[in-house]
């Protein structure tokens, strides 16, 4: 629905093609009994147009200062606050920052305010999406008015035609008003895109209005996504039609305050995907602070995140990785998949941009972290990463010491074990924050490699199920991991260092 | 016109293919040469006997003559606050001929081996004082009570000791641990002054 309305607006005539006499003609073409009735009830001219289902750029071209009463060509309704839209479509609002009421005559004047705000923050954009949020009270007014129209004019032929097209919603009428001037001022077209301009109207009496909801029998259902331009098609309570309806009861004059109007712009997040390698044994994956002290000298997420954030002018980042490794474990081989979410970027990142950032990170002097295959990813990136995370196999190389010298038979025995089942009780080093459970894990294969000049040190290569604690598999964790390398070889075994050599996942390999 | 376009797209395709092959070659080289170098980069400085996992990850303390003479126990405290309790090598039970022959966790008011602690919050863990009995170890002629030494929640007892009490004779300092206790930080600070560290222990018990 939203897309259709936006397209209509974008393709419309430029506003200057309408004049005030065109407006007069248009008003005269409407059913006069209903027109005069609405006018006498204090409905503003744009609300009148939209009640009759009029669409298009006429909303943008009307000058509030030159609107005349269609009946006697004297004072217009624009001096009083409209009872239905509470000034939204009259460009009357209360500004929190300036702490006063504004009254703009044309849509262009309002668009000027918005365009200034956009330019201030230095956003780069080639399109914008306009989003409007209005108080539930007003949506209620719309619904009540529609049901009132049904009851009063239901039998008239012009109304029967209207049932199909319905009224234009306040949101859509506001968009008809503002989108053309904004496109002119911002020099681009509006469309569904990541750059959002948000207009928010709120009203202090809104909470009271919601309480009236129960009276209307559920007819004030606010639609969350997209604005429908046909409201309340035959879903409203019939009680309204039965009574001799008192219009003034619905819109008490005491609600004479315009809405609070605030506006801002932001961009939906961008996502970078890639693989990271960690060459340091003193760098944690994520920022790790205990008692105000940082553990390790840096973190992977900060090294990558801060560079990306600065380069595209974002507000903040979120780092998501497919699993993690200890601070003293290096991440080698093809690297670990990760996704970096960057929020509210001022610039628009491109593929070239991702390449440049990758080179920048890898050129760092201290070579703590490396990034491979950094690129922009869409929502499918998440699925690629999360898919089968628990089943993926990981490969490691561990430097192991044994309390007795090893012989060829030991090497062969270890290599012969395939898909070895290991029962691991929650390691003591994480027992304070994880459930005490016994988890069965699989060691798919193992290979021992001699270390030159030693019969008690060797390099253990192993491929395991995701979630296996490798260190505990080597030293046995006081017997709580069984079997362990020590129990298999019948001696004591200790692990001196550990490296992740492969993460067998398919994402972000190019 | 169309021929030229096809030609151009063909050449960019071959370029991509070349780049891919280059990359594959680099990766293979890395696997064969660079990765092994990286893995063994610290090999020069390997000690003949490295520190054990317990030595590297825990702070080692001893409670000497706990409530009774020569009832020496160890307390390994991890950086995360958890304490592993066990029999120190100088414990009087090891002096008996034949060593330890059986263990029994059914002491005090409940069977400690029946405790079922669940969840991250460690629900159902029993709260014990430092002098609460954990288990009874028996030798040929005698039996001795092993106590908590640290006030806190009992997270687990070493079930293996029930079927394999000989673990205490062979490796009381590792696979023969008695229990794991989680003290509150404030309770740990209270008990710490009464414990001795490894150096003091060696001096006091004349162990090498």
């Amino acid at each position: 629905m939203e897309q259709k309305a936006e397209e209509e607006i974008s393709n419309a005539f430029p506003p200057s093609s309408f004049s005030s006499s065109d407006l007069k003609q248009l008003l005269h073409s409407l059913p006069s009994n209903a027109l005069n009735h609405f006018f006498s009830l204090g409905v503003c001219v744009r609300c009148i147009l939209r009640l009759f289902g009029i669409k298009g750029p006429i909303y943008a071209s009307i000058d509030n200062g030159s609107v005349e009463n269609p009946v006697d060509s004297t004072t217009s309704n624009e001096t009083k606050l409209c009872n239905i839209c509470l000034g939204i479509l009259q460009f009357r609002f209360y500004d929190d920052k300036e702490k006063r009421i504004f009254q703009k005559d044309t849509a262009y004047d309002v668009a000027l305010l918005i365009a200034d705000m956009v330019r201030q923050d230095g956003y780069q954009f080639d399109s914008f999406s306009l989003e409007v949020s209005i108080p539930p009270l007003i949506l209620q007014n719309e619904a009540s008015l529609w049901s009132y129209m049904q009851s009063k004019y239901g039998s008239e032929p012009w109304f029967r035609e209207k049932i199909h097209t319905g009224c234009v919603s306040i949101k859509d009428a506001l968009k008809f008003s503002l989108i053309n001037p904004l496109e002119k001022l911002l020099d681009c077209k509006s469309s569904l895109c990541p750059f959002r301009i948000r207009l928010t109207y709120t009203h202090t009496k809104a909470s009271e209005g919601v309480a009236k909801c129960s009276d209307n029998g559920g007819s004030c259902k606010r639609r969350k996504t997209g604005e429908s331009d046909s409201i309340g098609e035959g879903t409203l309570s019939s009680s309204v039609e039965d009574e001799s309806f008192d219009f003034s009861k619905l819109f008490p004059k005491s609600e004479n305050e315009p809405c609070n109007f605030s506006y801002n712009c932001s961009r939906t997040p961008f996502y970078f995907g890639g693989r990271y390698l960690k060459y340091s044994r003193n760098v944690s994956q994520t920022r790790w602070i205990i008692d105000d002290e940082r553990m390790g000298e840096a973190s992977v997420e900060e090294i990558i995140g801060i560079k990306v954030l600065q380069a595209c002018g974002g507000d903040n980042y979120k780092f998501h990785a497919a699993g993690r490794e200890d601070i003293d474990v290096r991440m080698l081989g093809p690297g670990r998949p990760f996704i970096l979410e960057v929020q509210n970027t001022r610039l628009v990142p491109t593929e070239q941009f991702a390449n440049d950032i990758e080179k920048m990170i890898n050129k760092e002097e201290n070579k703590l972290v490396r990034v491979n295959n950094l690129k922009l990813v869409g929502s499918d990136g998440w699925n690629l990463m999360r898919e089968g995370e628990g089943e993926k196999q990981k490969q490691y190389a561990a430097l192991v010491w044994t309390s007795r010298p090893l012989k060829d038979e030991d090497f062969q025995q270890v290599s012969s074990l395939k898909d070895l089942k290991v029962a691991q009780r929650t390691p003591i080093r994480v027992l304070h924050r994880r459930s005490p459970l016994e988890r069965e894990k699989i060691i798919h294969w193992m290979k021992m490699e001699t270390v030159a000049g030693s019969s008690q040190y060797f390099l253990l290569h192993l491929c395991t199920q995701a979630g296996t604690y490798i260190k505990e598999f080597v030293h046995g964790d006081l017997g709580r991991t069984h079997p362990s390398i020590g129990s298999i070889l019948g001696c004591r075994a200790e692990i001196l260092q550990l490296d992740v050599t492969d993460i067998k996942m398919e994402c972000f390999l190019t | 016109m169309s021929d030229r376009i096809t030609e151009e797209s063909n050449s960019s395709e071959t370029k991509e293919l070349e780049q891919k092959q280059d990359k594959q070659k680099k990766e293979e080289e890395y696997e064969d040469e660079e990765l092994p170098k990286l893995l063994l980069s610290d090999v020069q400085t390997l000690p003949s006997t490295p520190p054990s996992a317990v030595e590297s990850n825990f702070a080692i303390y001893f409670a000497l003559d706990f409530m009774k003479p020569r009832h020496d126990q160890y307390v390994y405290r991890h950086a995360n606050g958890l304490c592993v309790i066990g029999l120190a090598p100088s414990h009087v039970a090891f002096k008996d001929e034949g060593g330890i022959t059986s263990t029994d966790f059914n002491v005090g008011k409940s069977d400690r081996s029946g405790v079922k602690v669940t969840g991250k919050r460690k629900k159902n863990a029993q709260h014990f004082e430092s002098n609460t009995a954990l288990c009874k170890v028996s030798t040929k002629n005698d039996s001795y009570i092993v106590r908590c030494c640290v006030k806190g929640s009992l997270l687990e007892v070493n079930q293996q000791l029930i079927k394999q009490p000989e673990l205490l004779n062979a490796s009381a300092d590792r696979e023969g641990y008695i229990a794991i206790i989680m003290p509150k930080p404030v309770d740990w600070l209270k008990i710490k002054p009464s414990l001795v560290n490894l150096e003091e222990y060696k001096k006091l018990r004349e162990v090498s």
Side-chain angles (χ1 to χ4, degrees):
Chain A
M1 286 275 190
E2 208 175 304
Q3 197 169 10
K4 204 169 163 229
E6 301 237 5
E7 276 171 21
E8 283 177 348
I9 296 165
S10 264
N11 297 333
F13 298 100
S16 53
S17 68
F18 283 91
S19 67
S20 55
S21 55
D22 290 324
L23 175 62
K24 249 197 201 162
Q25 260 190 322
L26 182 57
L27 288 176
H28 277 294
S29 72
L30 301 172
S32 51
N33 57 342
L35 175 65
N36 294 334
H37 182 52
F38 288 137
F39 208 82
S40 65
L41 290 173
V43 180
C44 72
V45 64
R46 287 185 190 83
C47 274
I48 287 178
L49 289 182
R50 64 180 192 83
L51 285 174
F52 288 103
I54 312 263
K55 300 180 187 177
I58 177 115
Y59 289 90
S61 59
I62 297 173
D63 185 321
N64 289 351
S66 52
V67 174
E68 293 170 347
N69 184 326
V71 174
D72 55 16
S73 299
T74 55
T75 55
S76 77
N77 262 351
E78 307 314 306
T79 50
K80 292 172 284 179
L81 196 68
C82 173
N83 274 320
I84 304 174
C85 68
L86 296 185
I88 291 182
L89 292 179
Q90 294 172 300
F91 310 138
R92 273 192 201 207
F93 50 88
Y94 178 82
D95 186 311
D96 256 332
K97 272 184 259 166
E98 304 280 325
K99 298 231 184 295
R100 64 179 180 93
I101 293 181
F102 279 78
Q103 257 171 257
K104 298 290 178 188
D105 274 344
T106 63
Y108 187 84
D109 294 331
V110 180
L112 262 179
L113 294 175
I114 299 173
D116 277 343
M117 176 270 304
V118 168
R119 270 191 273 271
Q120 256 182 347
D121 256 341
Y123 282 92
Q124 174 198 25
F125 55 92
D126 55 9
S127 182
F128 66 91
S129 172
L130 190 63
E131 295 180 349
V132 180
S133 156
I134 60 181
L137 169 66
I138 294 183
L139 292 170
Q140 239 188 288
N141 287 356
E142 282 190 296
S144 308
L145 187 56
W146 175 250
S147 74
Y148 173 72
M149 279 176 78
Q150 264 191 319
S151 71
K152 197 166 167 82
Y153 300 113
S155 46
E156 309 223 4
W158 61 263
F159 188 83
R160 291 190 181 281
E161 280 174 37
K162 196 135 310 307
I163 294 274
H164 303 292
T165 52
C167 304
V168 173
S169 71
I170 292 187
K171 282 192 192 179
D172 281 346
L174 189 62
K175 288 190 181 188
F176 282 127
S177 308
L178 290 175
I179 283 189
N180 272 349
L182 275 177
E183 285 181 338
K184 252 190 175 177
L185 286 167
L186 299 175
D187 200 19
C188 65
K189 289 273 174 224
S190 92
S191 68
L192 272 183
C193 69
F195 185 59
R196 308 272 167 92
I197 299 178
R198 185 166 196 80
L199 313 180
T200 307
Y201 290 90
T202 55
H203 199 274
T204 45
K205 293 257 173 58
S207 45
E208 283 176 51
V210 174
K212 282 193 201 150
C213 209
S214 45
D215 297 337
N216 292 338
S219 60
C220 59
K221 193 163 139 199
R222 186 155 74 117
R223 269 163 255 235
K224 248 191 166 182
T225 50
E227 292 85 55
S228 165
D229 44 20
S230 58
I231 295 176
E233 286 183 46
T235 57
L236 300 173
S237 75
S238 52
S239 61
V240 173
E241 295 167 3
D242 297 336
E243 303 164 13
S244 53
F245 205 68
D246 189 358
F247 193 80
S248 58
K249 227 197 223 169
L250 267 186
F251 312 109
K253 298 288 182 183
S254 62
E255 271 161 310
N256 251 332
E257 299 159 19
C259 298
N260 258 34
F261 178 46
S262 65
Y263 43 96
N264 60 27
C265 55
S266 68
R267 193 164 347 246
T268 52
F270 274 97
Y271 300 92
F272 292 88
R275 294 228 178 188
Y276 76 82
L277 277 71
K278 182 164 86 82
Y279 294 118
S280 164
R281 296 196 188 280
N282 197 21
V283 170
S284 57
Q285 190 198 64
T286 53
R287 210 158 79 105
W288 188 11
I289 300 197
I290 297 185
D291 292 335
D292 289 340
E293 253 190 75
R294 173 195 283 280
M295 308 299 284
E297 69 182 88
S299 72
V300 175
E301 78 164 353
E302 284 169 294
I303 290 176
I304 301 177
I306 291 179
K307 278 263 177 350
V308 174
L309 195 70
Q310 282 174 344
C312 48
D315 281 348
N316 47 51
Y317 63 81
K318 282 191 198 155
F319 182 80
H320 315 268
R324 57 194 170 174
E325 64 282 331
D326 289 345
I327 188 172
D328 60 347
V329 173
R330 292 185 302 185
M331 179 69 238
L332 307 173
R336 186 182 296 276
F338 72 91
I339 288 183
L340 186 75
E341 176 185 333
V342 193
Q343 290 166 348
N344 207 10
T345 58
R346 300 302 188 276
L347 303 178
V348 178
T350 58
E351 282 307 324
Q352 184 57 47
F353 183 83
N355 283 341
D356 293 340
I357 296 185
E358 178 183 322
K359 290 205 188 87
M360 214 174 28
I361 295 174
N362 294 338
K363 262 205 282 194
E364 277 290 303
E365 286 276 323
N366 50 26
K367 297 246 180 289
L368 300 172
V369 167
R370 185 189 164 81
V371 173
N372 286 340
N373 312 325
L374 188 71
K375 57 179 198 249
L376 287 168
V377 295
S379 50
D380 58 320
W382 291 107
N383 299 334
L384 282 174
M385 218 173 68
R386 296 294 173 210
E387 174 194 319
E389 217 184 351
E391 291 124 38
K392 293 306 174 187
Q393 298 178 5
K394 316 274 165 86
Q395 208 169 302
Y396 303 86
L399 184 59
V400 179
W401 173 90
T402 49
S403 55
R404 66 162 174 83
L406 294 180
K407 299 165 267 179
D408 282 340
E409 298 92 78
D410 300 311
F411 283 65
Q412 275 162 27
Q413 183 196 10
V414 166
S415 309
S416 69
L417 296 167
K418 301 290 179 207
D419 291 332
L420 174 72
K421 288 209 186 115
V422 174
Q424 296 199 291
R425 301 238 235 123
T426 307
I428 299 178
R429 64 186 167 100
V430 300
L431 186 54
H432 64 295
R433 59 176 170 81
R434 289 198 74 185
S435 286
L437 290 173
E438 189 168 89
R439 300 174 179 89
E440 188 183 89
K441 294 294 170 187
I442 299 183
I443 314 278
H444 295 289
W445 54 258
M446 289 187 278
K447 205 182 71 176
M448 284 173 26
E449 193 188 306
T450 50
V451 168
S454 174
S455 58
Q456 284 177 253
Y457 276 103
F458 62 93
L459 208 55
L460 173 68
H461 298 272
L462 62 163
C463 178
T464 74
Q465 182 183 2
T468 311
Y469 286 92
I470 308 298
K471 293 177 182 173
E472 277 70 15
F473 173 65
V474 173
H475 62 62
D477 195 29
L478 304 184
R480 297 166 76 258
T481 288
H482 185 79
S484 64
I485 289 289
S487 71
I488 292 171
L489 295 173
C491 63
R492 188 161 66 98
E494 304 288 353
I495 181 170
L496 272 82
Q497 65 187 42
L498 180 62
D499 295 323
V500 189
T501 52
D502 198 0
I503 307 240
K504 297 193 192 301
M505 284 175 79
E506 264 149 40
C507 57
F508 309 151
L509 282 176
T510 49
Chain B
M1 192 60 144
S2 55
D3 283 337
R4 192 197 283 179
I5 294 176
T6 343
E7 260 173 41
E8 282 177 359
S9 68
N10 272 344
S11 72
S12 70
E13 264 174 37
T14 47
K15 240 196 203 162
E16 262 186 52
L17 189 59
E18 275 172 16
Q19 279 177 349
K20 259 194 186 154
Q21 286 173 335
D22 267 341
K23 203 168 184 183
Q24 261 182 324
K25 226 173 114 199
K26 279 209 182 109
E27 277 174 17
E28 281 166 16
E29 281 173 8
Y30 173 79
E31 296 264 327
D32 292 333
E33 296 168 7
E34 297 206 18
L35 182 57
K37 262 197 268 171
L38 274 174
L39 292 178
L40 293 171
S41 50
D42 312 313
V43 159
Q44 284 76 31
T45 50
L46 292 177
S48 56
T49 305
S52 70
V54 167
E55 285 162 1
S56 311
N57 300 314
F58 294 84
I60 299 176
Y61 299 95
F62 293 88
L64 302 180
D65 303 316
F66 195 76
M67 289 189 62
K68 276 190 168 169
R70 285 291 164 162
H71 280 55
D72 297 343
Q73 293 178 215
Y74 64 71
V75 177
Y76 299 155
R77 185 170 192 268
H78 195 276
N80 62 22
L82 296 186
C83 295
V84 181
I85 313 294
L87 296 180
S90 53
H91 194 281
V92 60
F94 295 121
K95 303 262 179 357
D96 287 3
E97 199 188 315
I100 294 170
T101 52
S102 72
T103 60
D104 185 9
F105 282 101
N106 197 354
V107 293
K109 293 187 185 149
S110 60
D111 187 348
R112 313 309 189 201
S113 66
V115 73
K116 274 273 176 273
V117 177
T118 55
K120 282 188 200 172
R121 305 287 155 130
K122 315 300 182 281
K123 251 178 24 164
N124 302 335
Q126 292 176 287
H127 299 281
F128 288 152
E129 298 294 323
S130 60
N131 58 8
T132 310
L134 272 177
C135 79
K136 185 170 72 174
V137 298
S138 308
T139 57
K140 200 153 67 159
N141 302 317
D142 251 321
S143 65
Y144 309 88
I145 299 286
V146 182
R147 301 188 186 268
C148 291
C149 286
V150 180
K151 175 180 171 181
S153 314
L154 178 66
L155 294 191
E156 95 181 26
V157 299
N158 190 355
Q159 306 266 2
Q160 298 287 95
L161 291 181
I162 301 175
K163 292 233 172 84
Q164 296 180 282
E166 59 273 16
L167 282 171
L168 283 164
N169 298 320
S171 49
D173 63 335
R174 286 164 51 101
E175 284 81 9
Y177 77 96
I178 303 280
I180 302 179
I181 293 184
M182 183 166 74
K184 292 206 186 82
V186 72
D187 291 328
W188 167 254
L189 290 173
K190 278 199 209 140
I191 197 76
K192 190 173 171 215
S194 60
L195 305 172
V196 301
N197 64 23
L198 183 58
E199 236 186 275
E200 291 164 325
Y201 173 76
K202 283 186 186 167
K203 262 192 254 167
L204 289 168
R205 288 293 186 249
E206 288 155 354
V207 176
S208 64

